[in-house]
Amino acid sequence: MMGKHAGSERQATALRSEIAHQAARLIAEDHVLDFAQAKKKAARQLGVTEGRALPSNQEIESALESYRAIYQPEHGRHVDQLRSKAIALMRMLAQFQPYLTGSVLSGIAGLHSDINLLLYTDDPKAIELFMLNRQIDYQNAEPDPAHRHADYPTLVVWYDGSAVKLHVRPLDAERNNPKREDRERMRLDQLEAMLASEAAQAGADFALLPV
């Protein structure tokens, strides 16, 4: 019985690993950026229907890191480019307390992923006026009626070849205990510090290379 149980555990672990690597490929190649969606789609493609066999997000992150190290070695540079664009935009939009969120922050974004910024103001029209005064073209994205801030707009602009979504929120949404999607965010100063730290580490790693 013990051997049978151990064998079942090994099979379950192997299956989770297979699903994780398939989900990683979907994220990296097909731009499925939602982990829950990626793992469910991967499981369906592999003919797996048991929810308990699905891998954790941490297992997918590990598989994604391995996948990109082999097949997309330039991925880190691409993410840094997107984050640098986000910094430039956040500096321009500083009066609206901008935060970076989404796949560019988490690091799973592809080269052509959207940059998602959260902007906070009690006057949504002020952001549209800001765009008009600077002759920046924008579009209003279709609102999600189920979202708690559905009456606040999401503006879509283009910056240096990248689509940018500006998700407008009321001021109290910044201060109050936000939902998970709004907790996963980073202020301008934090983002600048993170990129500076990564650049310093990259310089240190380069200095340690044998000559």
Side-chain angles (χ1 to χ4, degrees), residues 44-201:
R44 287 197 302 270
Q45 290 179 347
L46 294 171
V48 177
T49 57
E50 295 183 52
R52 63 183 178 84
L54 296 182
S56 66
N57 287 351
Q58 289 75 20
E59 288 173 300
I60 295 176
E61 287 174 357
S62 177
L64 184 58
E65 184 177 354
S66 298
Y67 185 95
R68 282 182 161 150
I70 297 171
Y71 299 108
Q72 297 178 336
E74 295 295 306
H75 174 257
R77 184 171 63 84
H78 295 328
V79 171
D80 283 345
Q81 289 175 349
L82 290 170
R83 287 173 175 171
S84 294
K85 293 179 187 181
I87 285 176
L89 287 163
M90 293 167 79
R91 288 172 177 164
M92 181 180 71
L93 295 162
Q95 70 190 78
F96 301 110
Q97 285 80 260
Y99 288 76
L100 177 62
T101 190
S103 62
V104 175
L105 175 59
S106 69
I108 67 170
L111 178 60
H112 304 295
S113 293
D114 297 342
I115 298 170
N116 288 270
L117 300 180
L118 295 167
L119 304 180
Y120 294 93
T121 177
D122 286 332
D123 181 13
K125 290 296 181 182
I127 295 178
E128 297 190 39
L129 185 60
F130 180 95
M131 297 295 170
L132 291 171
N133 286 341
R134 286 158 181 78
Q135 299 183 331
I136 300 173
D137 292 331
Y138 67 88
Q139 295 178 323
N140 281 282
E142 190 69 28
D144 178 1
H147 196 279
R148 62 190 175 128
H149 298 308
D151 53 336
Y152 277 72
T154 292
L155 307 183
V156 182
V157 301
W158 283 86
Y159 176 75
D160 194 18
S162 294
V164 183
K165 292 183 178 177
L166 307 175
H167 306 277
V168 185
R169 302 285 187 265
L171 284 173
D172 63 0
E174 181 190 13
R175 297 186 297 264
N176 295 342
N177 185 27
K179 291 174 67 175
R180 178 180 177 185
E181 67 179 64
D182 287 357
R183 285 201 305 270
E184 296 172 349
R185 60 186 188 174
M186 185 173 286
R187 297 192 313 268
L188 174 59
D189 60 324
Q190 296 171 318
L191 183 60
E192 289 174 328
M194 182 177 73
L195 262 65
S197 175
E198 289 177 351
Q201 183 60 50

